[in-house]
PDB file of all heavy atoms in Angstrom:
ATOM      1  N   ARG A   1       0.829  -1.146   0.027  1.00 80.00           N
ATOM      2  CA  ARG A   1      -0.010   0.016   0.034  1.00 80.00           C
ATOM      3  C   ARG A   1       0.801   1.248  -0.057  1.00 80.00           C
ATOM      4  O   ARG A   1       0.252   2.412  -0.033  1.00 80.00           O
ATOM      5  CB  ARG A   1      -0.898   0.040   1.226  1.00 80.00           C
ATOM      6  CG  ARG A   1      -1.935  -1.145   1.137  1.00 80.00           C
ATOM      7  CD  ARG A   1      -3.010  -0.874   0.186  1.00 80.00           C
ATOM      8  NE  ARG A   1      -3.787  -2.100  -0.083  1.00 80.00           N
ATOM      9  CZ  ARG A   1      -4.807  -2.537   0.692  1.00 80.00           C
ATOM     10  NH1 ARG A   1      -5.076  -1.952   1.773  1.00 80.00           N
ATOM     11  NH2 ARG A   1      -5.537  -3.585   0.274  1.00 80.00           N
ATOM     12  N   LEU A   2       2.128   1.146   0.059  1.00 65.00           N
ATOM     13  CA  LEU A   2       3.003   2.356   0.097  1.00 65.00           C
ATOM     14  C   LEU A   2       3.553   2.723  -1.278  1.00 65.00           C
ATOM     15  O   LEU A   2       4.605   3.380  -1.425  1.00 65.00           O
ATOM     16  CB  LEU A   2       4.139   2.064   1.121  1.00 65.00           C
ATOM     17  CG  LEU A   2       3.742   1.851   2.548  1.00 65.00           C
ATOM     18  CD1 LEU A   2       4.980   1.580   3.445  1.00 65.00           C
ATOM     19  CD2 LEU A   2       2.981   3.015   3.121  1.00 65.00           C
ATOM     20  N   SER A   3       2.878   2.308  -2.285  1.00 71.00           N
ATOM     21  CA  SER A   3       3.350   2.386  -3.648  1.00 71.00           C
ATOM     22  C   SER A   3       2.811   3.626  -4.355  1.00 71.00           C
ATOM     23  O   SER A   3       2.979   3.746  -5.565  1.00 71.00           O
ATOM     24  CB  SER A   3       2.987   1.148  -4.427  1.00 71.00           C
ATOM     25  OG  SER A   3       1.593   0.964  -4.483  1.00 71.00           O
ATOM     26  N   ASP A   4       2.008   4.490  -3.717  1.00 87.00           N
ATOM     27  CA  ASP A   4       1.266   5.546  -4.489  1.00 87.00           C
ATOM     28  C   ASP A   4       2.149   6.494  -5.153  1.00 87.00           C
ATOM     29  O   ASP A   4       1.749   7.027  -6.247  1.00 87.00           O
ATOM     30  CB  ASP A   4       0.292   6.264  -3.511  1.00 87.00           C
ATOM     31  CG  ASP A   4      -0.756   6.955  -4.253  1.00 87.00           C
ATOM     32  OD1 ASP A   4      -1.425   6.291  -5.040  1.00 87.00           O
ATOM     33  OD2 ASP A   4      -0.915   8.219  -3.988  1.00 87.00           O
ATOM     34  N   ASP A   5       3.295   6.802  -4.690  1.00 91.00           N
ATOM     35  CA  ASP A   5       4.219   7.774  -5.380  1.00 91.00           C
ATOM     36  C   ASP A   5       4.575   7.144  -6.707  1.00 91.00           C
ATOM     37  O   ASP A   5       4.675   7.891  -7.748  1.00 91.00           O
ATOM     38  CB  ASP A   5       5.496   8.045  -4.585  1.00 91.00           C
ATOM     39  CG  ASP A   5       5.172   8.901  -3.357  1.00 91.00           C
ATOM     40  OD1 ASP A   5       4.087   9.507  -3.337  1.00 91.00           O
ATOM     41  OD2 ASP A   5       6.029   9.062  -2.441  1.00 91.00           O
ATOM     42  N   ILE A   6       4.847   5.853  -6.865  1.00 93.00           N
ATOM     43  CA  ILE A   6       5.107   5.295  -8.060  1.00 93.00           C
ATOM     44  C   ILE A   6       3.946   5.372  -9.024  1.00 93.00           C
ATOM     45  O   ILE A   6       4.176   5.705 -10.269  1.00 93.00           O
ATOM     46  CB  ILE A   6       5.496   3.701  -7.836  1.00 93.00           C
ATOM     47  CG1 ILE A   6       6.775   3.600  -7.059  1.00 93.00           C
ATOM     48  CG2 ILE A   6       5.600   2.993  -9.153  1.00 93.00           C
ATOM     49  CD1 ILE A   6       7.097   2.192  -6.653  1.00 93.00           C
ATOM     50  N   ILE A   7       2.749   5.095  -8.567  1.00 95.00           N
ATOM     51  CA  ILE A   7       1.587   5.143  -9.388  1.00 95.00           C
ATOM     52  C   ILE A   7       1.360   6.598  -9.975  1.00 95.00           C
ATOM     53  O   ILE A   7       1.124   6.868 -11.152  1.00 95.00           O
ATOM     54  CB  ILE A   7       0.306   4.731  -8.626  1.00 95.00           C
ATOM     55  CG1 ILE A   7       0.527   3.288  -8.206  1.00 95.00           C
ATOM     56  CG2 ILE A   7      -0.908   4.836  -9.499  1.00 95.00           C
ATOM     57  CD1 ILE A   7       0.799   2.245  -9.269  1.00 95.00           C
ATOM     58  N   GLU A   8       1.581   7.587  -9.047  1.00 95.00           N
ATOM     59  CA  GLU A   8       1.452   8.968  -9.467  1.00 95.00           C
ATOM     60  C   GLU A   8       2.481   9.336 -10.614  1.00 95.00           C
ATOM     61  O   GLU A   8       2.099  10.003 -11.587  1.00 95.00           O
ATOM     62  CB  GLU A   8       1.518   9.909  -8.262  1.00 95.00           C
ATOM     63  CG  GLU A   8       1.318  11.364  -8.720  1.00 95.00           C
ATOM     64  CD  GLU A   8       1.407  12.277  -7.470  1.00 95.00           C
ATOM     65  OE1 GLU A   8       1.289  11.785  -6.330  1.00 95.00           O
ATOM     66  OE2 GLU A   8       1.527  13.565  -7.662  1.00 95.00           O
ATOM     67  N   ASP A   9       3.697   8.876 -10.389  1.00 95.00           N
ATOM     68  CA  ASP A   9       4.753   9.110 -11.369  1.00 95.00           C
ATOM     69  C   ASP A   9       4.408   8.474 -12.692  1.00 95.00           C
ATOM     70  O   ASP A   9       4.575   9.073 -13.751  1.00 95.00           O
ATOM     71  CB  ASP A   9       6.027   8.486 -10.813  1.00 95.00           C
ATOM     72  CG  ASP A   9       7.270   9.055 -11.556  1.00 95.00           C
ATOM     73  OD1 ASP A   9       7.178   9.576 -12.623  1.00 95.00           O
ATOM     74  OD2 ASP A   9       8.380   8.928 -11.042  1.00 95.00           O
ATOM     75  N   LEU A  10       3.942   7.261 -12.609  1.00 96.00           N
ATOM     76  CA  LEU A  10       3.581   6.555 -13.916  1.00 96.00           C
ATOM     77  C   LEU A  10       2.454   7.214 -14.670  1.00 96.00           C
ATOM     78  O   LEU A  10       2.514   7.453 -15.900  1.00 96.00           O
ATOM     79  CB  LEU A  10       3.138   5.093 -13.642  1.00 96.00           C
ATOM     80  CG  LEU A  10       4.325   4.130 -13.234  1.00 96.00           C
ATOM     81  CD1 LEU A  10       3.789   2.836 -12.651  1.00 96.00           C
ATOM     82  CD2 LEU A  10       5.280   3.899 -14.409  1.00 96.00           C
ATOM     83  N   ILE A  11       1.349   7.650 -13.937  1.00 97.00           N
ATOM     84  CA  ILE A  11       0.291   8.316 -14.634  1.00 97.00           C
ATOM     85  C   ILE A  11       0.745   9.544 -15.323  1.00 97.00           C
ATOM     86  O   ILE A  11       0.316   9.951 -16.410  1.00 97.00           O
ATOM     87  CB  ILE A  11      -0.804   8.642 -13.555  1.00 97.00           C
ATOM     88  CG1 ILE A  11      -1.471   7.305 -13.059  1.00 97.00           C
ATOM     89  CG2 ILE A  11      -1.852   9.500 -14.129  1.00 97.00           C
ATOM     90  CD1 ILE A  11      -2.402   7.504 -11.874  1.00 97.00           C
ATOM     91  N   THR A  12       1.697  10.270 -14.636  1.00 96.00           N
ATOM     92  CA  THR A  12       2.116  11.580 -15.158  1.00 96.00           C
ATOM     93  C   THR A  12       3.107  11.420 -16.226  1.00 96.00           C
ATOM     94  O   THR A  12       3.069  12.225 -17.203  1.00 96.00           O
ATOM     95  CB  THR A  12       2.680  12.386 -14.019  1.00 96.00           C
ATOM     96  OG1 THR A  12       1.776  12.509 -12.977  1.00 96.00           O
ATOM     97  CG2 THR A  12       3.072  13.736 -14.467  1.00 96.00           C
ATOM     98  N   ASN A  13       4.031  10.492 -16.103  1.00 95.00           N
ATOM     99  CA  ASN A  13       5.306  10.473 -17.014  1.00 95.00           C
ATOM    100  C   ASN A  13       5.414   9.435 -18.023  1.00 95.00           C
ATOM    101  O   ASN A  13       6.230   9.502 -18.873  1.00 95.00           O
ATOM    102  CB  ASN A  13       6.535  10.499 -16.059  1.00 95.00           C
ATOM    103  CG  ASN A  13       6.564  11.813 -15.183  1.00 95.00           C
ATOM    104  OD1 ASN A  13       6.359  12.853 -15.694  1.00 95.00           O
ATOM    105  ND2 ASN A  13       6.974  11.669 -13.891  1.00 95.00           N
ATOM    106  N   PHE A  14       4.636   8.283 -17.803  1.00 97.00           N
ATOM    107  CA  PHE A  14       4.818   7.280 -18.861  1.00 97.00           C
ATOM    108  C   PHE A  14       3.819   7.484 -20.002  1.00 97.00           C
ATOM    109  O   PHE A  14       2.588   7.523 -19.770  1.00 97.00           O
ATOM    110  CB  PHE A  14       4.536   5.885 -18.207  1.00 97.00           C
ATOM    111  CG  PHE A  14       4.735   4.694 -19.223  1.00 97.00           C
ATOM    112  CD1 PHE A  14       5.906   4.565 -19.925  1.00 97.00           C
ATOM    113  CD2 PHE A  14       3.646   3.864 -19.491  1.00 97.00           C
ATOM    114  CE1 PHE A  14       6.051   3.565 -20.908  1.00 97.00           C
ATOM    115  CE2 PHE A  14       3.763   2.887 -20.369  1.00 97.00           C
ATOM    116  CZ  PHE A  14       4.967   2.741 -21.101  1.00 97.00           C
ATOM    117  N   ASN A  15       4.295   7.539 -21.224  1.00 97.00           N
ATOM    118  CA  ASN A  15       3.455   7.997 -22.359  1.00 97.00           C
ATOM    119  C   ASN A  15       3.025   6.780 -23.169  1.00 97.00           C
ATOM    120  O   ASN A  15       2.610   6.919 -24.313  1.00 97.00           O
ATOM    121  CB  ASN A  15       4.256   8.952 -23.230  1.00 97.00           C
ATOM    122  CG  ASN A  15       4.473  10.266 -22.515  1.00 97.00           C
ATOM    123  OD1 ASN A  15       3.581  10.779 -21.884  1.00 97.00           O
ATOM    124  ND2 ASN A  15       5.692  10.803 -22.689  1.00 97.00           N
ATOM    125  N   GLY A  16       3.094   5.567 -22.672  1.00 98.00           N
ATOM    126  CA  GLY A  16       2.547   4.387 -23.293  1.00 98.00           C
ATOM    127  C   GLY A  16       1.410   3.824 -22.535  1.00 98.00           C
ATOM    128  O   GLY A  16       0.969   4.308 -21.547  1.00 98.00           O
ATOM    129  N   PRO A  17       0.827   2.670 -23.111  1.00 98.00           N
ATOM    130  CA  PRO A  17      -0.192   1.994 -22.396  1.00 98.00           C
ATOM    131  C   PRO A  17       0.175   1.548 -20.930  1.00 98.00           C
ATOM    132  O   PRO A  17       1.305   0.944 -20.796  1.00 98.00           O
ATOM    133  CB  PRO A  17      -0.580   0.860 -23.206  1.00 98.00           C
ATOM    134  CG  PRO A  17      -0.059   1.214 -24.575  1.00 98.00           C
ATOM    135  CD  PRO A  17       1.151   1.997 -24.387  1.00 98.00           C
ATOM    136  N   LEU A  18      -0.597   1.953 -19.979  1.00 98.00           N
ATOM    137  CA  LEU A  18      -0.296   1.622 -18.570  1.00 98.00           C
ATOM    138  C   LEU A  18      -1.441   0.794 -18.031  1.00 98.00           C
ATOM    139  O   LEU A  18      -2.568   1.188 -18.038  1.00 98.00           O
ATOM    140  CB  LEU A  18      -0.127   3.002 -17.806  1.00 98.00           C
ATOM    141  CG  LEU A  18      -0.061   2.941 -16.303  1.00 98.00           C
ATOM    142  CD1 LEU A  18       1.230   2.156 -15.989  1.00 98.00           C
ATOM    143  CD2 LEU A  18       0.032   4.276 -15.731  1.00 98.00           C
ATOM    144  N   VAL A  19      -1.071  -0.321 -17.366  1.00 98.00           N
ATOM    145  CA  VAL A  19      -2.022  -1.177 -16.721  1.00 98.00           C
ATOM    146  C   VAL A  19      -1.851  -1.027 -15.210  1.00 98.00           C
ATOM    147  O   VAL A  19      -0.687  -1.236 -14.698  1.00 98.00           O
ATOM    148  CB  VAL A  19      -1.906  -2.709 -17.128  1.00 98.00           C
ATOM    149  CG1 VAL A  19      -2.918  -3.483 -16.371  1.00 98.00           C
ATOM    150  CG2 VAL A  19      -2.030  -2.804 -18.638  1.00 98.00           C
ATOM    151  N   ILE A  20      -2.827  -0.632 -14.394  1.00 98.00           N
ATOM    152  CA  ILE A  20      -2.771  -0.564 -13.044  1.00 98.00           C
ATOM    153  C   ILE A  20      -3.690  -1.643 -12.353  1.00 98.00           C
ATOM    154  O   ILE A  20      -4.880  -1.692 -12.643  1.00 98.00           O
ATOM    155  CB  ILE A  20      -3.095   0.823 -12.568  1.00 98.00           C
ATOM    156  CG1 ILE A  20      -2.136   1.864 -13.177  1.00 98.00           C
ATOM    157  CG2 ILE A  20      -3.019   0.895 -10.999  1.00 98.00           C
ATOM    158  CD1 ILE A  20      -2.489   3.330 -12.749  1.00 98.00           C
ATOM    159  N   ASP A  21      -3.082  -2.395 -11.445  1.00 97.00           N
ATOM    160  CA  ASP A  21      -3.861  -3.507 -10.826  1.00 97.00           C
ATOM    161  C   ASP A  21      -3.577  -3.496  -9.326  1.00 97.00           C
ATOM    162  O   ASP A  21      -2.597  -2.879  -8.831  1.00 97.00           O
ATOM    163  CB  ASP A  21      -3.410  -4.771 -11.444  1.00 97.00           C
ATOM    164  CG  ASP A  21      -4.115  -6.015 -10.901  1.00 97.00           C
ATOM    165  OD1 ASP A  21      -5.289  -5.900 -10.598  1.00 97.00           O
ATOM    166  OD2 ASP A  21      -3.468  -7.137 -10.897  1.00 97.00           O
ATOM    167  N   ALA A  22      -4.336  -4.278  -8.590  1.00 95.00           N
ATOM    168  CA  ALA A  22      -4.083  -4.641  -7.275  1.00 95.00           C
ATOM    169  C   ALA A  22      -3.743  -3.450  -6.341  1.00 95.00           C
ATOM    170  O   ALA A  22      -4.488  -2.479  -6.265  1.00 95.00           O
ATOM    171  CB  ALA A  22      -2.948  -5.680  -7.263  1.00 95.00           C
ATOM    172  N   ASP A  23      -2.597  -3.484  -5.618  1.00 94.00           N
ATOM    173  CA  ASP A  23      -2.213  -2.419  -4.720  1.00 94.00           C
ATOM    174  C   ASP A  23      -2.072  -1.092  -5.406  1.00 94.00           C
ATOM    175  O   ASP A  23      -2.157  -0.014  -4.709  1.00 94.00           O
ATOM    176  CB  ASP A  23      -0.899  -2.708  -3.987  1.00 94.00           C
ATOM    177  CG  ASP A  23      -1.113  -3.936  -2.926  1.00 94.00           C
ATOM    178  OD1 ASP A  23      -2.158  -3.923  -2.375  1.00 94.00           O
ATOM    179  OD2 ASP A  23      -0.216  -4.755  -2.885  1.00 94.00           O
ATOM    180  N   GLY A  24      -1.914  -1.021  -6.648  1.00 95.00           N
ATOM    181  CA  GLY A  24      -1.719   0.202  -7.421  1.00 95.00           C
ATOM    182  C   GLY A  24      -3.066   0.933  -7.521  1.00 95.00           C
ATOM    183  O   GLY A  24      -3.114   2.162  -7.757  1.00 95.00           O
ATOM    184  N   LEU A  25      -4.094   0.262  -7.195  1.00 96.00           N
ATOM    185  CA  LEU A  25      -5.514   0.836  -7.278  1.00 96.00           C
ATOM    186  C   LEU A  25      -5.875   1.448  -5.968  1.00 96.00           C
ATOM    187  O   LEU A  25      -7.016   2.139  -5.940  1.00 96.00           O
ATOM    188  CB  LEU A  25      -6.535  -0.162  -7.699  1.00 96.00           C
ATOM    189  CG  LEU A  25      -6.325  -0.807  -9.069  1.00 96.00           C
ATOM    190  CD1 LEU A  25      -7.282  -2.002  -9.250  1.00 96.00           C
ATOM    191  CD2 LEU A  25      -6.554   0.229 -10.174  1.00 96.00           C
ATOM    192  N   TYR A  26      -5.230   1.288  -4.894  1.00 93.00           N
ATOM    193  CA  TYR A  26      -5.639   1.602  -3.590  1.00 93.00           C
ATOM    194  C   TYR A  26      -6.041   3.026  -3.385  1.00 93.00           C
ATOM    195  O   TYR A  26      -7.081   3.386  -2.810  1.00 93.00           O
ATOM    196  CB  TYR A  26      -4.575   1.255  -2.564  1.00 93.00           C
ATOM    197  CG  TYR A  26      -5.091   1.312  -1.141  1.00 93.00           C
ATOM    198  CD1 TYR A  26      -6.092   0.463  -0.641  1.00 93.00           C
ATOM    199  CD2 TYR A  26      -4.544   2.235  -0.273  1.00 93.00           C
ATOM    200  CE1 TYR A  26      -6.568   0.530   0.610  1.00 93.00           C
ATOM    201  CE2 TYR A  26      -4.988   2.286   1.029  1.00 93.00           C
ATOM    202  CZ  TYR A  26      -6.030   1.443   1.461  1.00 93.00           C
ATOM    203  OH  TYR A  26      -6.512   1.571   2.744  1.00 93.00           O
ATOM    204  N   LYS A  27      -5.251   4.028  -3.955  1.00 93.00           N
ATOM    205  CA  LYS A  27      -5.531   5.388  -3.877  1.00 93.00           C
ATOM    206  C   LYS A  27      -5.796   6.052  -5.268  1.00 93.00           C
ATOM    207  O   LYS A  27      -5.642   7.232  -5.426  1.00 93.00           O
ATOM    208  CB  LYS A  27      -4.382   6.149  -3.205  1.00 93.00           C
ATOM    209  CG  LYS A  27      -4.133   5.758  -1.688  1.00 93.00           C
ATOM    210  CD  LYS A  27      -3.078   6.587  -1.158  1.00 93.00           C
ATOM    211  CE  LYS A  27      -2.874   6.195   0.316  1.00 93.00           C
ATOM    212  NZ  LYS A  27      -1.769   6.916   0.937  1.00 93.00           N
ATOM    213  N   LEU A  28      -6.286   5.228  -6.210  1.00 95.00           N
ATOM    214  CA  LEU A  28      -6.468   5.777  -7.596  1.00 95.00           C
ATOM    215  C   LEU A  28      -7.359   6.917  -7.564  1.00 95.00           C
ATOM    216  O   LEU A  28      -7.154   7.883  -8.374  1.00 95.00           O
ATOM    217  CB  LEU A  28      -6.959   4.644  -8.482  1.00 95.00           C
ATOM    218  CG  LEU A  28      -6.953   4.945  -9.966  1.00 95.00           C
ATOM    219  CD1 LEU A  28      -5.452   4.750 -10.406  1.00 95.00           C
ATOM    220  CD2 LEU A  28      -7.865   4.061 -10.757  1.00 95.00           C
TER     221      LEU A  28
END
């Protein structure tokens, strides 16, 4: 559950298809 900084970084900076699952969804 401490992965939210990674998820925010990916949403902002990765310009390809991004799949978010499991713990990555906790604070979506």
Side-chain angles (χ1 to χ4, degrees):
R1 296 288 167 80
L2 301 177
S3 61
D4 197 53
D5 288 346
I6 294 173
I7 300 304
E8 182 175 345
D9 194 341
L10 288 169
I11 292 170
T12 305
N13 296 317
F14 180 58
N15 294 319
L18 172 62
V19 181
I20 301 179
D21 180 33
D23 289 322
L25 298 170
Y26 189 65
K27 295 183 179 179
L28 192 76

